[in-house]
Amino acid sequence: MSHSRAVMVVDVGHTCRGRSMTSSESTSPASSTSTLPVRTPIPGIWSAGHPAVRPWLLRASADGDHLNGYCAGRVAEVAGLRDAMTRQAPDADVVDHAGRLLHVMCRCAGMGPTLALYPHAGAVMTAHVRRVAQLGPSAERFFIAGMLARSLGSETQRDSVGPAERWAALRRAYLALLDREDWCETARAGLVAGDGQLEWLARVAADLELKGLELRGLDTGTP
């Protein structure tokens, strides 16, 4: 099932602003003429009991922008991200959206609940790395895995992530995934195609020495 992504922009009061999601886009058989409010506080959306609420929060409430930091942790808690990732069989949209939420929570100190404060962070990340390994590579999955590996070992993001030692095993798991040849081939193809996220990752995570971001000897079509 495909779901259109909505940008989550937030202001005072943990308000979520984005495209209304019709109930036909949820897993509920409710009437497709019913929509979520475009601008509603997250706790208010959840308590309303609308059948499209949880699918929307789990699939389309964040796009990875830094402003998502005001609400990413709240979404993870309210939408039951741990259960969605560990007790159910999440589809690709849920898994990829979970990656965006985790990525944002690694850099949102001073904005909203961080990865360090999220009580289910370890369980969700363990499930995430396992699920993306099963799904296979994409340019965005490579980017998210790379940024998570970078953040989990970063001293500069301690305020959001906490002690790097806590995440050592998960960081190794993400790095092992990024070292797989099929993932490397996907990243190289993305760089050749001009994927902006992968170009950014290549610049900011050079210390990780990810071989998928090494283009020497690869014909990029440039002089």
Side-chain angles (χ1 to χ4, degrees):
M1 178 183 299
S2 63
H3 296 266
S4 298
R5 287 172 56 185
V7 177
M8 181 173 72
V9 181
V10 287
D11 52 22
V12 177
H14 299 293
T15 299
C16 183
R17 297 178 61 189
R19 179 189 58 78
S20 296
M21 178 178 176
T22 64
S23 55
S24 64
E25 294 174 293
S26 74
T27 56
S28 166
S31 169
S32 62
T33 60
S34 178
T35 61
L36 287 176
V38 173
R39 177 174 178 155
T40 309
I42 288 176
I45 290 177
W46 184 250
S47 63
H50 193 290
V53 169
R54 191 167 186 247
W56 184 79
L57 288 175
L58 288 172
R59 292 178 171 84
S61 59
D63 68 343
D65 185 86
H66 75 282
L67 288 177
N68 296 166
Y70 288 105
C71 279
R74 191 78 175 106
V75 167
E77 295 171 359
V78 169
L81 183 61
R82 179 191 63 174
D83 286 353
M85 290 293 290
T86 64
R87 297 182 183 177
Q88 301 170 17
D91 58 38
D93 289 340
V94 171
V95 174
D96 290 336
H97 190 264
R100 293 177 210 125
L101 291 175
L102 292 168
H103 168 45
V104 170
M105 290 167 68
C106 284
R107 53 194 177 98
C108 66
M111 299 173 71
T114 63
L115 191 77
L117 297 177
Y118 178 46
H120 309 303
V124 171
M125 295 188 83
T126 298
H128 178 256
V129 71
R130 182 176 70 253
R131 298 293 186 184
V132 293
Q134 294 168 348
L135 288 170
S138 71
E140 185 191 19
R141 289 173 193 150
F142 193 100
F143 169 76
I144 291 293
M147 290 301 291
L148 287 173
R150 175 178 179 267
S151 296
L152 295 180
S154 173
E155 290 295 323
T156 61
Q157 291 178 244
R158 265 185 179 268
D159 289 347
S160 293
V161 177
E165 297 79 13
R166 175 185 176 187
W167 309 111
L170 277 166
R171 187 170 186 265
R172 287 194 298 270
Y174 279 114
L175 289 173
L177 188 64
L178 294 166
D179 196 51
R180 293 185 182 181
E181 190 54 37
D182 56 338
W183 283 67
C184 291
E185 290 175 0
T186 297
R188 293 182 191 117
L191 285 177
V192 171
D195 185 280
Q197 288 186 318
L198 292 177
E199 289 175 348
W200 172 256
L201 179 63
R203 289 194 296 271
V204 302
D207 58 311
L208 295 182
E209 298 182 343
L210 300 175
K211 66 182 185 182
L213 301 180
E214 176 57 72
L215 288 180
R216 281 183 302 183
L218 186 66
D219 181 7
T220 64
T222 58

